[in-house]
Amino acid sequence: MRTAPTILHLDMDAFFASVEQASKPSLRGKAVIVGGLGPRGVVATCSYEARVFGVHSAMPMAQARRLAPNAAYLVPRFGLYRTISEQVMELLRALSPLVEPLSLDEAFVDLETGGTAWDEESARLAGMKLRADIRAVTGLTGSVGLAASKMLAKIASEQAKPDGLVLIEPGTERTLLGPMSVRTLPGVGPATGDHLRRAGITTIDEIAEAGEDELVRLLGKAHGHALYAMALARDDRPVVAERETKSVSVEDTYDMDIHDRVRVGLEVQRLADRCVRRLRGAGLSGRTIVLKVRRYDFSTLTRSETLRGPTDDPAVVREAAARLLDSVDTTGGVRLLGVGVSGLADYTQEDLFAQAAGEPAEGPAEDLVDEPVQGAAVPVERRWPAGHDVRHAEYGHGWVQGSGLGRVTVRFETPDSEPGRVRTFRTDDRALEPADPLPLVARRAGEQVASGTEGGSSVGGESGGQESSVPASLPKSWSGSRGGGATSRP
């Protein structure tokens, strides 16, 4: 097990909400909540200003509206989030070939393998430079944890939030972990936490004191051994550059239960097409088609069918999903549908047939497009999701504040403008069209990513935070830094 703190964990701060605030000047410093806006929607993420009211990720949107009625509620723009995520991941890959993404906004990096860091000082400098580069490239902030293991690095980045850097010094790990809640450790969720609490174990020190045999008795062999090792700050998990994709799936939750069996079938066809688009986008095919149905009473049924060979043919996936649907009773209504493909491969059965015949494989099948399934109702009124980008022939670029009753309200502003004016239009106004998001940071021709220093000065100010003394709320063995003006994490 390594001793130098050369495992880095990056966690972007309130990522989706921060992107929205960066692109919308009128929302900066205000409560912003991103997620599904329907009656059954949930919060994907929220700004720190919204967390003050008790809003958090995975909370039902209806509850969030009660807690923060004056917040801005926006529909996610996943295309933009993926673009910015890739910019951040490129910066991480410049540090090391061993980058393990956990999500769009979170990743581990092995700095030692990349030759970027080998001791405390070089690791701290790499973390400072990364934060400065992320701010320069994206205009956003990220929190960095540095430690000798993945578990400790993730704990450190959580302590660093928001917009900070925390390094766990070698030799201090046990002392730091001891008073923390058992929920701090990976794999300890609400159920395991409650089970341990009933046994009188609430802190990591108490896990170590209970002993390995007692943990095995309480949690089973595998979980008990792993938890005891982590309580002793032992974590030998390596940073894995490529995480194998096991399945590709899509699903939709509906604001109102679907009772019409014909519409359920049409929705399954639409989801199958979306799933195939995602499958092809990843250059994959699969053998097992999976259908997920959540009924009106919250019971969830899963059905699957394994084909003779892998496919990325939309007709094949649609037909298999339809057969699976035939075996499901949807009487009473459906609230969620999903279609997935597993048993993935980087070839299709058709490719194999062509190779066996000594013939070139056929070219790509006709492109799938986002069109309504034949027979589905086509909406007469154009949809204007809250928070999405638009352009008006006269007023320029803006974003949708809200729509309904045949009207759409737009605020006209850009990432580098002052807060803009609001205007309302008819939803069928042909001068108003959907638009692509604008870059969060304007790039000048030939401009390069900022290094850790600028103009001979130390990293700080607008470049992403200065090295500072350890915050009073942390033990002295934590070595941390925060960006200027950052508020404490709620």
Side-chain angles (χ1 to χ4, degrees), residues 181-197 201-202 204 207 215 219 223 226-228 230-231:
S181 166
V182 296
R183 291 289 305 278
T184 305
L185 298 177
V188 181
T192 302
D194 287 344
H195 193 52
L196 291 171
R197 179 181 54 78
I201 299 173
T202 59
I204 296 176
I207 289 179
L215 289 172
L219 305 174
H223 201 179
L227 202 59
Y228 182 71
M230 288 188 289

Side-chain angles (χ1 to χ4, degrees), residues 15-16 19 77-89 104 278:
F15 184 50
F16 296 173
V19 170
R77 296 185 292 168
F78 288 111
L80 177 59
Y81 306 152
R82 280 191 289 268
T83 298
I84 296 170
S85 172
E86 185 54 36
Q87 293 175 336
V88 173
M89 295 301 164
L104 290 177
R278 184 171 295 182

Side-chain angles (χ1 to χ4, degrees), residues 361-373:
E362 292 183 4
E366 59 181 334
D367 291 337
L368 297 169
V369 295
D370 284 313
E371 295 179 351
V373 177

Side-chain angles (χ1 to χ4, degrees), residues 37-339:
L37 303 190
R40 293 172 176 165
V42 297
V43 176
T45 193
C46 59
S47 67
Y48 286 99
E49 295 85 355
R51 297 180 193 190
V52 172
F53 298 99
V55 181
H56 58 77
S57 299
M59 171 181 285
M61 192 62 75
Q63 183 180 355
R65 289 186 184 277
R66 290 193 295 271
L67 293 173
N70 298 318
Y73 289 85
L74 307 176
V75 175
R77 296 185 292 168
F78 288 111
L80 177 59
Y81 306 152
R82 280 191 289 268
T83 298
I84 296 170
S85 172
E86 185 54 36
Q87 293 175 336
V88 173
M89 295 301 164
E90 284 183 9
L91 293 174
L92 298 183
R93 286 190 285 268
L95 295 176
S96 172
L98 285 185
V99 176
E100 182 178 341
L102 303 179
S103 62
L104 290 177
D105 62 339
E106 185 181 0
F108 287 109
V109 184
D110 187 332
L111 298 177
E112 184 176 354
T113 297
T116 307
W118 48 91
D119 58 12
E120 293 177 47
E121 187 59 27
S122 58
R124 182 181 292 108
L125 289 174
M128 292 169 61
K129 181 180 183 299
L130 173 64
R131 292 177 58 233
D133 287 349
I134 288 173
R135 188 185 292 269
V137 171
T138 69
L140 305 176
T141 63
S143 296
V144 168
L146 291 158
S149 69
K150 290 167 70 172
M151 177 188 74
L152 292 169
K154 186 172 175 63
I155 290 172
S157 70
E158 184 65 25
Q159 295 291 332
K161 282 187 168 293
D163 190 18
L165 181 153
V166 165
L167 181 149
I168 299 181
E169 298 175 3
T172 67
E173 297 90 350
R174 290 283 303 277
T175 302
L176 294 169
L177 285 176
M180 293 182 177
S181 166
V182 296
R183 291 289 305 278
T184 305
L185 298 177
V188 181
T192 302
D194 287 344
H195 193 52
L196 291 171
R197 179 181 54 78
R198 288 193 294 270
I201 299 173
T202 59
T203 68
I204 296 176
D205 258 346
E206 289 169 344
I207 289 179
E209 291 168 3
E212 189 169 13
D213 291 342
E214 176 65 8
L215 289 172
V216 169
R217 186 186 70 80
L218 289 170
L219 305 174
K221 187 174 181 180
H223 201 179
H225 285 314
L227 202 59
Y228 182 71
M230 288 188 289
L232 300 181
R234 298 173 186 163
D235 179 20
D236 295 328
R237 293 174 300 160
V239 175
V240 180
E242 296 296 335
R243 298 168 64 89
E244 183 180 357
T245 302
K246 296 183 178 179
S247 65
V248 173
S249 63
V250 296
E251 62 181 42
D252 276 343
T253 301
Y254 304 99
D255 293 343
M256 303 292 292
D257 289 347
I258 302 176
H259 294 84
D260 183 351
R261 181 74 179 190
V262 173
R263 187 188 165 197
V264 172
L266 293 171
E267 288 293 322
V268 168
Q269 290 183 44
R270 184 178 60 82
L271 290 166
D273 284 348
R274 279 176 52 195
C275 184
V276 170
R277 282 196 295 274
R278 184 171 295 182
L279 196 68
R280 288 182 172 181
L284 297 170
S285 61
R287 293 185 62 203
T288 302
I289 314 303
V290 181
L291 176 70
K292 178 180 177 182
V293 179
R294 181 166 296 150
R295 300 188 291 190
Y296 70 98
D297 58 357
F298 286 88
S299 62
T300 302
L301 303 176
T302 303
R303 299 288 185 268
S304 64
E305 175 182 323
T306 299
L307 308 174
R308 287 180 296 176
T311 185
D312 65 355
D313 187 327
V316 173
V317 176
R318 280 197 301 265
E319 291 169 6
R323 286 193 297 272
L324 294 170
L325 180 61
D326 287 340
S327 66
V328 177
D329 179 10
T330 59
T331 304
V334 171
R335 58 184 292 121
L336 176 147
L337 290 168
V339 174

